[in-house]
Amino acid sequence: MRDAVVVGSGPNGLAAAVTLARAGLSVLLIEAAPQLGGGTRTDELTLPGYRHDICSAVHPLAFESPFFRAFGLTDRVPFVVPEASYAQPLDDGPAAIAYRDLERTADTLRGDGARYARLLAPLAARAAEVAETTGGSLVRMPRHPLTAARLAAATLDQGGPWWDRGFSAEAAPALLAGVAAHAILPMPGLAAAGAGLVLGAYGHARGWPIPVGGSQRIADALEADLRAHGGEIVTGTTIRSLDELPPSRAVLLDIAPPALLRMAGDRLPAAYRRALARFRFGGAVAKVDFALSAPVPWRDPAVAEAGTVHLGGTRAEIAASERAVARGEVPANPYVLVSQPSLFDDTRAPTGAHTLWAYTHVPAGSGVDRTEAVTAQIERFAPGFRDVVVAHASRTAVQVASHNPNYIDGDIAAGAPSLRQLLRRPTLSPEPWRTPLPGVYLSSASTSPGPGVHGLAGWHAARSALRREFGITTMPDLSPV
């Protein structure tokens, strides 16, 4: 009998398996797909030689995640860090640019720079404490109460209809709205504001890194460590019931709540089943990848300095687009998130060519192909973009969900990251990874701390299992050997 079985090989499943194996346990990892990685995969989606990230592309949490810091990710995977973390092109005037250097950013925002810096500086200066504060169950007392209070105050400042108070121009509010829209939530709102401020703080701390060679490199590093410490891996195997699993002392499931309900059935207590049934999924994404013959011809050349670009115009336009998605409407003027990693990593495309990664928000379960809408929004801020496109590959929200069963109806957050569901993810508990079934743990992004490539849900679930199932209270060293 093995000590532990892990189902699912997204970043959280791999983090759980690595942590258990490092503790000296025998671990079996089972993955339904033929390749490990889940949301951290890279493949040729358009033409031979053009490598595109399947889901995640830029990794704000790669440097700040407590799990990745313990794992020594930066010693295992090469990253490039653009001088500008993200950019927000505007129709009138120059683009707003969030440089890693906060003072430089504030200088470009002119009259609004001081207010912008007051919001982000206290958080950027304590980015590691912010990551620890937001990286576990929010039900627990924060380890850094002063940092938690600063984040709460900034979130309240940007989380209501008063969010424009004190700003005199469009650039700074648009910059804040663009990063907050990552949450796929109506704006203004406390959860979206908090997410945006945390990501913004990371952007002004150590930056938003891009893995050289693609996001697959992160999954590959985790897989290599698991194998090096005796872990077994089986791919191409779908688990439909807990009864199909081999005997073990612990089971960790990198799956969404609906899958747990199907796999466990009546074994789960009625109250817990009701809690899982109440878990809600949010807005979805439609994705488009482009093969380009030349870089994107941004109207403002400074945009090319940024690893990530948020398109959609002003704060008011972005908020209107996100509210439309929340109402179940496909927005006419969509928010589009763009990255051109080949500007910083020449392994992504043939010499002289480029890859472009883009997604836009759509209602859950949408089957609408958004290639033209995404292309038009890029063309709006980069006239001539159509002329450099040589091929594209698109996925509707339905197809995104088909690719990854944790992305219900195309929700890449694996559950709406609303304020309620950040506290109850999936239940209100200081240890939400434990299920009522003995030895069974939920370790996906549907648990705390929620979405993102950070490995924290799997890490916390594994640490909980080590304590409760194996009596191991000294956590294993995860650093590179």
Coordinates of all heavy atoms in Angstrom, one line a residue, residues 1-90:
M1 N 0.8 -1.2 0.0 CA 0.0 0.0 0.0 C 0.9 1.2 0.0 O 1.8 1.3 0.8 CB -0.9 0.0 1.2 CG -1.8 1.2 1.3 SD -3.0 1.2 2.6 CE -2.0 1.5 4.0
R2 N 0.5 2.2 -0.9 CA 1.3 3.4 -0.9 C 0.9 4.3 0.2 O -0.2 4.2 0.8 CB 1.1 4.1 -2.3 CG 1.6 3.4 -3.5 CD 1.3 4.1 -4.7 NE 1.8 3.4 -5.9 CZ 1.2 2.5 -6.5 NH1 0.0 2.0 -6.1 NH2 1.7 1.9 -7.6
D3 N 1.7 5.3 0.5 CA 1.4 6.2 1.6 C 0.3 7.2 1.1 O -0.6 7.6 1.8 CB 2.6 7.0 2.0 CG 3.6 6.1 2.8 OD1 3.2 5.3 3.6 OD2 4.8 6.2 2.5
A4 N 0.5 7.7 -0.1 CA -0.4 8.8 -0.6 C -0.6 8.7 -2.1 O 0.3 8.3 -2.9 CB 0.2 10.2 -0.3
V5 N -1.8 9.0 -2.5 CA -2.2 9.1 -4.0 C -2.7 10.5 -4.2 O -3.5 11.1 -3.5 CB -3.3 8.1 -4.3 CG1 -3.8 8.3 -5.8 CG2 -2.8 6.7 -4.1
V6 N -2.1 11.1 -5.2 CA -2.5 12.5 -5.7 C -3.2 12.4 -7.0 O -2.7 11.8 -7.9 CB -1.3 13.4 -5.7 CG1 -1.8 14.8 -6.2 CG2 -0.6 13.5 -4.4
V7 N -4.4 13.0 -7.2 CA -5.1 13.0 -8.4 C -5.1 14.4 -9.0 O -5.6 15.3 -8.4 CB -6.6 12.5 -8.2 CG1 -7.3 12.6 -9.6 CG2 -6.6 11.1 -7.7
G8 N -4.5 14.5 -10.2 CA -4.5 15.8 -10.8 C -3.1 16.4 -10.8 O -2.5 16.4 -9.7
S9 N -2.5 16.9 -11.9 CA -1.2 17.4 -12.0 C -1.0 18.8 -12.4 O -0.1 19.2 -13.0 CB -0.3 16.5 -12.9 OG -0.7 16.8 -14.3
G10 N -2.0 19.6 -12.0 CA -1.8 21.1 -12.1 C -0.8 21.5 -11.1 O -0.2 20.7 -10.3
P11 N -0.5 22.8 -11.0 CA 0.6 23.2 -10.1 C 0.3 22.8 -8.6 O 1.2 22.5 -7.9 CB 0.5 24.8 -10.2 CG 0.0 25.0 -11.6 CD -1.0 23.9 -11.8
N12 N -1.0 22.8 -8.2 CA -1.3 22.4 -6.9 C -1.2 20.9 -6.7 O -0.6 20.5 -5.6 CB -2.8 22.8 -6.5 CG -2.9 24.3 -6.4 OD1 -2.2 24.9 -5.6 ND2 -3.8 24.9 -7.1
G13 N -1.6 20.1 -7.6 CA -1.4 18.6 -7.5 C 0.1 18.3 -7.4 O 0.5 17.5 -6.6
L14 N 0.9 18.9 -8.3 CA 2.3 18.7 -8.3 C 3.0 19.1 -7.0 O 3.9 18.5 -6.4 CB 3.0 19.4 -9.5 CG 2.8 18.7 -10.9 CD1 3.1 19.6 -12.0 CD2 3.5 17.4 -10.9
A15 N 2.6 20.3 -6.5 CA 3.1 20.8 -5.2 C 2.8 19.8 -4.1 O 3.7 19.6 -3.2 CB 2.5 22.2 -4.9
A16 N 1.6 19.3 -4.1 CA 1.2 18.3 -3.0 C 2.1 17.1 -3.1 O 2.6 16.6 -2.1 CB -0.3 18.0 -3.2
A17 N 2.2 16.6 -4.3 CA 3.0 15.3 -4.5 C 4.5 15.5 -4.1 O 5.1 14.7 -3.5 CB 2.9 14.9 -6.0
V18 N 5.0 16.7 -4.5 CA 6.4 17.0 -4.2 C 6.6 17.0 -2.7 O 7.6 16.5 -2.1 CB 6.9 18.3 -4.9 CG1 8.1 18.8 -4.3 CG2 7.1 18.0 -6.4
T19 N 5.7 17.7 -2.0 CA 5.8 17.9 -0.6 C 5.8 16.6 0.2 O 6.5 16.3 1.1 CB 4.7 18.9 -0.1 OG1 4.8 20.1 -0.8 CG2 4.9 19.1 1.4
L20 N 4.8 15.7 -0.3 CA 4.7 14.4 0.4 C 5.9 13.5 0.1 O 6.4 12.8 1.0 CB 3.4 13.7 -0.1 CG 2.1 14.4 0.2 CD1 1.0 13.8 -0.6 CD2 1.8 14.3 1.7
A21 N 6.4 13.6 -1.1 CA 7.6 12.7 -1.5 C 8.8 13.2 -0.7 O 9.6 12.4 -0.3 CB 7.8 12.8 -3.0
R22 N 9.0 14.5 -0.6 CA 10.1 15.1 0.1 C 10.1 14.7 1.6 O 11.1 14.7 2.3 CB 10.1 16.6 0.0 CG 10.7 17.1 -1.3 CD 12.2 16.8 -1.5 NE 12.8 17.5 -2.5 CZ 13.6 18.5 -2.4 NH1 13.9 18.9 -1.1 NH2 14.1 19.1 -3.4
A23 N 8.9 14.3 2.1 CA 8.8 13.9 3.5 C 9.1 12.4 3.6 O 9.0 11.8 4.7 CB 7.4 14.1 4.0
G24 N 9.5 11.8 2.5 CA 9.9 10.4 2.6 C 8.8 9.4 2.3 O 8.9 8.2 2.6
L25 N 7.6 9.9 1.9 CA 6.5 9.0 1.7 C 6.5 8.4 0.3 O 7.0 9.0 -0.7 CB 5.1 9.8 1.9 CG 5.0 10.5 3.2 CD1 3.6 11.1 3.3 CD2 5.2 9.5 4.4
S26 N 5.8 7.3 0.1 CA 5.6 6.7 -1.3 C 4.4 7.4 -1.9 O 3.3 7.4 -1.3 CB 5.5 5.2 -1.2 OG 4.4 4.9 -0.3
V27 N 4.6 8.0 -3.0 CA 3.5 8.8 -3.6 C 3.3 8.4 -5.1 O 4.2 8.1 -5.9 CB 4.0 10.3 -3.7 CG1 2.9 11.2 -4.3 CG2 4.3 10.8 -2.2
L28 N 2.0 8.2 -5.4 CA 1.5 8.0 -6.8 C 0.7 9.2 -7.2 O -0.2 9.6 -6.6 CB 0.7 6.7 -6.8 CG 0.0 6.5 -8.2 CD1 1.0 6.2 -9.3 CD2 -1.0 5.3 -8.0
L29 N 1.1 9.8 -8.4 CA 0.4 10.9 -9.0 C -0.3 10.4 -10.2 O 0.3 9.8 -11.1 CB 1.4 12.0 -9.4 CG 0.8 13.2 -10.2 CD1 -0.2 13.9 -9.3 CD2 1.9 14.1 -10.6
I30 N -1.6 10.6 -10.3 CA -2.5 10.2 -11.4 C -3.0 11.4 -12.2 O -3.6 12.3 -11.6 CB -3.6 9.3 -10.9 CG1 -3.1 8.1 -10.1 CG2 -4.5 8.8 -12.1 CD1 -4.2 7.2 -9.5
E31 N -2.8 11.4 -13.5 CA -3.3 12.5 -14.3 C -4.1 12.0 -15.5 O -3.7 11.0 -16.1 CB -2.1 13.3 -14.8 CG -2.4 14.3 -15.9 CD -3.4 15.3 -15.5 OE1 -3.3 15.9 -14.4 OE2 -4.3 15.6 -16.4
A32 N -5.2 12.6 -15.7 CA -6.1 12.2 -16.8 C -5.5 12.5 -18.2 O -5.7 11.7 -19.2 CB -7.5 12.8 -16.7
A33 N -4.8 13.6 -18.3 CA -4.3 14.0 -19.6 C -3.0 13.3 -19.9 O -2.4 12.7 -19.0 CB -4.0 15.5 -19.6
P34 N -2.6 13.3 -21.2 CA -1.3 12.6 -21.5 C -0.1 13.3 -21.0 O 1.0 12.7 -21.0 CB -1.4 12.5 -23.0 CG -2.3 13.6 -23.4 CD -3.3 13.8 -22.4
Q35 N -0.2 14.6 -20.6 CA 1.0 15.3 -20.2 C 0.6 16.0 -18.9 O -0.5 16.5 -18.6 CB 1.3 16.4 -21.3 CG 2.6 17.2 -21.0 CD 2.9 18.1 -22.2 OE1 2.2 18.1 -23.2 NE2 3.9 18.9 -22.0
L36 N 1.6 16.2 -18.0 CA 1.5 16.8 -16.7 C 1.4 18.4 -16.9 O 1.9 18.9 -17.9 CB 2.6 16.5 -15.8 CG 2.9 15.0 -15.5 CD1 3.9 14.9 -14.4 CD2 1.6 14.3 -15.0
G37 N 0.9 19.1 -15.9 CA 1.0 20.5 -15.9 C -0.3 21.3 -15.8 O -0.3 22.4 -15.3
G38 N -1.4 20.7 -16.2 CA -2.7 21.4 -16.1 C -2.6 22.8 -16.8 O -2.4 22.9 -18.0
G39 N -2.7 23.9 -16.0 CA -2.7 25.2 -16.5 C -1.3 25.7 -16.8 O -1.1 26.8 -17.4
T40 N -0.3 24.9 -16.5 CA 1.1 25.3 -16.8 C 1.7 24.4 -17.9 O 2.6 23.6 -17.7 CB 2.0 25.3 -15.6 OG1 1.8 24.0 -14.9 CG2 1.6 26.4 -14.6
R41 N 1.1 24.5 -19.1 CA 1.6 23.8 -20.2 C 1.9 24.7 -21.4 O 1.4 25.8 -21.5 CB 0.5 22.7 -20.7 CG 0.4 21.5 -19.7 CD -0.5 20.5 -20.3 NE -0.1 20.2 -21.7 CZ -0.9 19.8 -22.6 NH1 -2.2 19.8 -22.4 NH2 -0.5 19.6 -23.9
T42 N 2.8 24.2 -22.3 CA 3.2 25.0 -23.4 C 3.2 24.0 -24.6 O 3.6 22.9 -24.5 CB 4.6 25.5 -23.2 OG1 4.7 26.3 -22.0 CG2 5.0 26.5 -24.4
D43 N 2.7 24.5 -25.8 CA 2.6 23.6 -26.9 C 2.6 24.5 -28.2 O 2.4 25.7 -28.2 CB 1.3 22.8 -26.8 CG 1.4 21.5 -27.6 OD1 2.4 21.3 -28.3 OD2 0.5 20.6 -27.4
E44 N 2.8 23.8 -29.3 CA 2.7 24.5 -30.6 C 1.2 24.5 -31.1 O 0.7 23.5 -31.6 CB 3.6 23.7 -31.7 CG 5.0 23.8 -31.3 CD 5.9 23.1 -32.4 OE1 5.4 22.2 -33.1 OE2 7.1 23.3 -32.5
L45 N 0.6 25.6 -30.9 CA -0.9 25.7 -31.1 C -1.2 26.2 -32.5 O -2.3 26.0 -33.0 CB -1.5 26.6 -30.1 CG -1.4 26.1 -28.6 CD1 -2.1 27.1 -27.7 CD2 -2.0 24.7 -28.5
T46 N -0.3 27.0 -33.1 CA -0.6 27.6 -34.4 C 0.3 27.0 -35.5 O -0.3 26.3 -36.4 CB -0.3 29.1 -34.3 OG1 1.1 29.3 -33.9 CG2 -1.2 29.8 -33.4
L47 N 1.6 27.2 -35.5 CA 2.5 26.7 -36.5 C 3.7 26.0 -35.9 O 4.0 26.3 -34.7 CB 2.9 27.8 -37.4 CG 1.9 28.6 -38.3 CD1 2.5 29.8 -38.9 CD2 1.3 27.6 -39.3
P48 N 4.4 25.1 -36.6 CA 5.6 24.5 -36.1 C 6.6 25.6 -35.7 O 6.8 26.5 -36.4 CB 6.1 23.6 -37.2 CG 4.8 23.3 -38.0 CD 4.0 24.5 -37.9
G49 N 7.2 25.4 -34.5 CA 8.2 26.4 -34.0 C 7.7 27.5 -33.2 O 8.5 28.2 -32.6
Y50 N 6.4 27.7 -33.2 CA 5.7 28.7 -32.4 C 5.2 28.1 -31.1 O 4.2 27.3 -31.2 CB 4.6 29.4 -33.2 CG 5.1 30.2 -34.4 CD1 5.3 29.6 -35.6 CD2 5.2 31.6 -34.3 CE1 5.7 30.4 -36.7 CE2 5.6 32.4 -35.4 CZ 5.9 31.7 -36.6 OH 6.3 32.5 -37.7
R51 N 5.8 28.4 -30.0 CA 5.4 27.8 -28.7 C 4.5 28.7 -27.9 O 4.9 29.8 -27.6 CB 6.6 27.3 -27.9 CG 7.4 26.2 -28.6 CD 8.6 25.7 -27.8 NE 8.2 25.2 -26.5 CZ 7.6 24.1 -26.2 NH1 7.3 23.3 -27.2 NH2 7.3 23.7 -25.0
H52 N 3.3 28.2 -27.6 CA 2.3 29.0 -26.9 C 2.0 28.4 -25.6 O 1.9 27.2 -25.5 CB 1.0 29.1 -27.8 CG 1.2 29.6 -29.2 ND1 1.2 31.0 -29.5 CD2 1.5 29.0 -30.3 CE1 1.4 31.1 -30.8 NE2 1.5 29.9 -31.3
D53 N 1.8 29.3 -24.6 CA 1.3 28.8 -23.3 C -0.2 28.5 -23.3 O -1.0 29.3 -23.8 CB 1.6 29.8 -22.2 CG 3.1 29.9 -21.9 OD1 3.8 28.9 -21.9 OD2 3.6 31.1 -21.7
I54 N -0.5 27.3 -22.9 CA -1.9 26.8 -23.0 C -2.9 27.7 -22.1 O -3.9 28.1 -22.5 CB -2.0 25.4 -22.5 CG1 -1.2 24.5 -23.4 CG2 -3.5 24.9 -22.5 CD1 -1.7 24.3 -24.8
C55 N -2.4 28.0 -20.9 CA -3.3 28.8 -20.0 C -2.4 30.0 -19.4 O -2.4 31.1 -19.9 CB -3.9 28.0 -18.9 SG -5.0 28.9 -17.8
S56 N -1.7 29.7 -18.4 CA -0.9 30.8 -17.7 C 0.3 31.1 -18.6 O 0.9 30.2 -19.2 CB -0.4 30.3 -16.3 OG 0.3 29.2 -16.4
A57 N 0.7 32.4 -18.6 CA 1.9 32.8 -19.4 C 2.9 33.6 -18.6 O 4.1 33.4 -18.7 CB 1.4 33.6 -20.6
V58 N 2.3 34.6 -17.9 CA 3.2 35.5 -17.0 C 2.8 35.1 -15.6 O 1.7 34.8 -15.2 CB 2.9 36.9 -17.3 CG1 3.8 37.8 -16.5 CG2 3.1 37.2 -18.8
H59 N 3.8 35.1 -14.7 CA 3.7 34.5 -13.4 C 4.0 35.5 -12.2 O 5.1 35.4 -11.6 CB 4.5 33.2 -13.3 CG 4.0 32.2 -14.2 ND1 3.1 31.3 -13.9 CD2 4.3 32.0 -15.5 CE1 2.8 30.5 -14.9 NE2 3.6 30.9 -15.9
P60 N 3.1 36.4 -11.9 CA 3.4 37.3 -10.8 C 3.7 36.6 -9.4 O 4.3 37.2 -8.6 CB 2.1 38.1 -10.7 CG 1.4 38.0 -12.0 CD 1.8 36.6 -12.5
L61 N 3.2 35.4 -9.3 CA 3.4 34.7 -8.0 C 4.6 33.8 -8.0 O 4.9 33.2 -7.0 CB 2.1 33.8 -7.7 CG 0.9 34.7 -7.3 CD1 -0.4 33.9 -7.7 CD2 0.9 35.0 -5.8
A62 N 5.3 33.6 -9.1 CA 6.5 32.7 -9.2 C 7.5 33.1 -8.2 O 8.2 32.3 -7.6 CB 7.0 32.7 -10.6
F63 N 7.7 34.4 -8.0 CA 8.7 34.9 -7.0 C 8.2 35.0 -5.6 O 9.0 35.0 -4.7 CB 9.3 36.3 -7.5 CG 10.1 36.2 -8.7 CD1 10.5 37.4 -9.3 CD2 10.5 35.0 -9.3 CE1 11.3 37.4 -10.5 CE2 11.3 35.0 -10.4 CZ 11.7 36.2 -11.0
E64 N 6.9 35.2 -5.4 CA 6.4 35.6 -4.1 C 5.7 34.4 -3.4 O 5.5 34.5 -2.2 CB 5.4 36.8 -4.2 CG 6.1 38.0 -4.8 CD 7.3 38.6 -4.1 OE1 7.5 38.2 -2.9 OE2 8.0 39.4 -4.6
S65 N 5.3 33.4 -4.1 CA 4.6 32.3 -3.5 C 5.5 31.7 -2.4 O 6.6 31.3 -2.7 CB 4.2 31.2 -4.5 OG 4.0 30.0 -3.9
P66 N 5.0 31.5 -1.1 CA 5.8 30.9 -0.1 C 6.2 29.4 -0.5 O 7.3 29.0 -0.2 CB 4.9 30.9 1.1 CG 4.0 32.1 0.9 CD 3.8 32.1 -0.6
F67 N 5.4 28.7 -1.3 CA 5.7 27.4 -1.7 C 6.9 27.5 -2.7 O 7.9 26.7 -2.6 CB 4.6 26.7 -2.3 CG 5.0 25.4 -3.1 CD1 5.4 24.3 -2.4 CD2 5.0 25.4 -4.5 CE1 5.9 23.2 -3.1 CE2 5.5 24.3 -5.1 CZ 5.9 23.1 -4.4
F68 N 6.8 28.3 -3.7 CA 7.8 28.4 -4.7 C 9.1 28.9 -4.1 O 10.2 28.5 -4.6 CB 7.4 29.3 -5.9 CG 6.5 28.6 -6.8 CD1 5.5 29.3 -7.5 CD2 6.6 27.3 -7.1 CE1 4.6 28.7 -8.4 CE2 5.8 26.6 -8.0 CZ 4.8 27.3 -8.6
R69 N 9.0 29.8 -3.1 CA 10.3 30.2 -2.4 C 10.9 29.1 -1.7 O 12.2 28.9 -1.8 CB 10.0 31.4 -1.5 CG 9.6 32.7 -2.1 CD 9.9 33.9 -1.3 NE 9.3 33.8 0.1 CZ 8.1 34.2 0.4 NH1 7.3 34.8 -0.6 NH2 7.6 34.1 1.6
A70 N 10.1 28.3 -1.0 CA 10.7 27.1 -0.3 C 11.2 26.1 -1.3 O 12.2 25.4 -1.1 CB 9.6 26.4 0.5
F71 N 10.6 25.9 -2.5 CA 11.0 25.0 -3.5 C 12.2 25.5 -4.3 O 12.9 24.7 -4.9 CB 9.8 24.8 -4.5 CG 10.0 23.8 -5.5 CD1 10.2 22.4 -5.3 CD2 10.1 24.2 -6.9 CE1 10.3 21.5 -6.3 CE2 10.3 23.3 -7.9 CZ 10.4 21.9 -7.6
G72 N 12.5 26.7 -4.2 CA 13.7 27.3 -4.9 C 13.4 27.3 -6.4 O 14.3 27.0 -7.2
L73 N 12.2 27.8 -6.8 CA 11.8 27.7 -8.2 C 12.8 28.5 -9.1 O 13.2 28.0 -10.2 CB 10.4 28.3 -8.4 CG 9.9 28.2 -9.8 CD1 9.7 26.7 -10.3 CD2 8.5 28.9 -9.9
T74 N 13.3 29.6 -8.6 CA 14.1 30.4 -9.5 C 15.5 29.8 -9.7 O 16.3 30.2 -10.6 CB 14.3 31.9 -8.9 OG1 14.8 31.8 -7.5 CG2 13.0 32.6 -8.9
D75 N 15.9 28.8 -8.8 CA 17.1 28.1 -9.0 C 17.0 26.9 -10.0 O 18.0 26.3 -10.4 CB 17.6 27.6 -7.7 CG 18.1 28.7 -6.7 OD1 18.6 29.7 -7.2 OD2 17.8 28.6 -5.5
R76 N 15.7 26.6 -10.3 CA 15.4 25.5 -11.2 C 15.0 25.9 -12.6 O 15.1 25.1 -13.5 CB 14.4 24.6 -10.5 CG 14.7 24.1 -9.1 CD 13.4 23.5 -8.5 NE 13.5 23.1 -7.1 CZ 13.7 21.9 -6.7 NH1 13.9 20.9 -7.6 NH2 13.8 21.6 -5.4
V77 N 14.3 27.1 -12.6 CA 13.7 27.5 -13.9 C 14.3 28.9 -14.2 O 14.2 29.8 -13.4 CB 12.2 27.6 -13.8 CG1 11.6 28.1 -15.1 CG2 11.6 26.2 -13.5
P78 N 14.8 29.1 -15.4 CA 15.2 30.5 -15.8 C 14.0 31.4 -16.1 O 13.1 31.0 -16.8 CB 16.1 30.3 -17.0 CG 15.6 29.0 -17.6 CD 15.1 28.2 -16.5
F79 N 14.1 32.6 -15.5 CA 13.0 33.6 -15.8 C 13.6 34.8 -16.4 O 14.8 35.2 -16.1 CB 12.3 33.9 -14.5 CG 11.4 32.9 -13.9 CD1 11.9 31.9 -13.0 CD2 10.0 32.8 -14.3 CE1 11.0 30.9 -12.5 CE2 9.2 31.8 -13.8 CZ 9.7 30.9 -12.9
V80 N 12.8 35.5 -17.1 CA 13.2 36.9 -17.6 C 12.1 37.8 -17.0 O 10.9 37.5 -17.0 CB 13.2 37.0 -19.1 CG1 11.9 36.6 -19.8 CG2 13.7 38.3 -19.5
V81 N 12.6 38.9 -16.5 CA 11.7 39.9 -15.8 C 11.7 41.2 -16.6 O 12.7 42.0 -16.5 CB 12.1 40.1 -14.3 CG1 11.0 40.9 -13.6 CG2 12.2 38.8 -13.6
P82 N 10.7 41.5 -17.3 CA 10.6 42.8 -18.0 C 10.7 44.0 -17.1 O 10.2 43.9 -15.9 CB 9.3 42.8 -18.8 CG 8.9 41.3 -18.8 CD 9.5 40.7 -17.6
E83 N 11.3 45.1 -17.6 CA 11.4 46.3 -16.8 C 10.0 46.8 -16.4 O 9.8 47.4 -15.4 CB 12.2 47.4 -17.5 CG 13.6 47.1 -17.5 CD 14.2 47.1 -16.1 OE1 13.9 48.0 -15.3 OE2 15.0 46.2 -15.8
A84 N 9.0 46.6 -17.3 CA 7.6 47.1 -17.1 C 6.8 45.8 -16.9 O 6.8 44.9 -17.7 CB 7.1 47.8 -18.3
S85 N 6.1 45.8 -15.7 CA 5.3 44.6 -15.4 C 4.0 44.5 -16.3 O 3.7 43.5 -16.8 CB 4.9 44.6 -13.9 OG 6.1 44.5 -13.1
Y86 N 3.3 45.7 -16.4 CA 2.1 45.7 -17.2 C 1.9 47.1 -17.8 O 2.4 48.1 -17.2 CB 0.9 45.2 -16.5 CG 0.7 45.8 -15.1 CD1 -0.1 46.9 -14.9 CD2 1.3 45.2 -14.0 CE1 -0.4 47.4 -13.7 CE2 1.1 45.7 -12.7 CZ 0.3 46.8 -12.6 OH 0.1 47.4 -11.3
A87 N 1.1 47.2 -18.8 CA 0.8 48.5 -19.5 C -0.6 48.6 -19.8 O -1.3 47.5 -20.0 CB 1.7 48.6 -20.8
Q88 N -1.1 49.8 -19.9 CA -2.5 50.1 -20.2 C -2.6 51.1 -21.3 O -2.5 52.3 -21.0 CB -3.2 50.6 -18.9 CG -4.7 50.8 -19.1 CD -5.5 49.5 -19.0 OE1 -5.1 48.6 -18.3 NE2 -6.6 49.5 -19.7
P89 N -2.7 50.7 -22.6 CA -2.8 51.7 -23.6 C -4.1 52.5 -23.5 O -5.1 52.0 -23.1 CB -2.7 50.9 -24.9 CG -2.1 49.6 -24.5 CD -2.6 49.4 -23.1
L90 N -4.0 53.8 -23.9 CA -5.2 54.6 -23.9 C -5.4 55.3 -25.3 O -4.4 55.4 -26.0 CB -5.1 55.7 -22.8 CG -5.0 55.2 -21.4 CD1 -4.6 56.3 -20.4 CD2 -6.3 54.6 -21.0

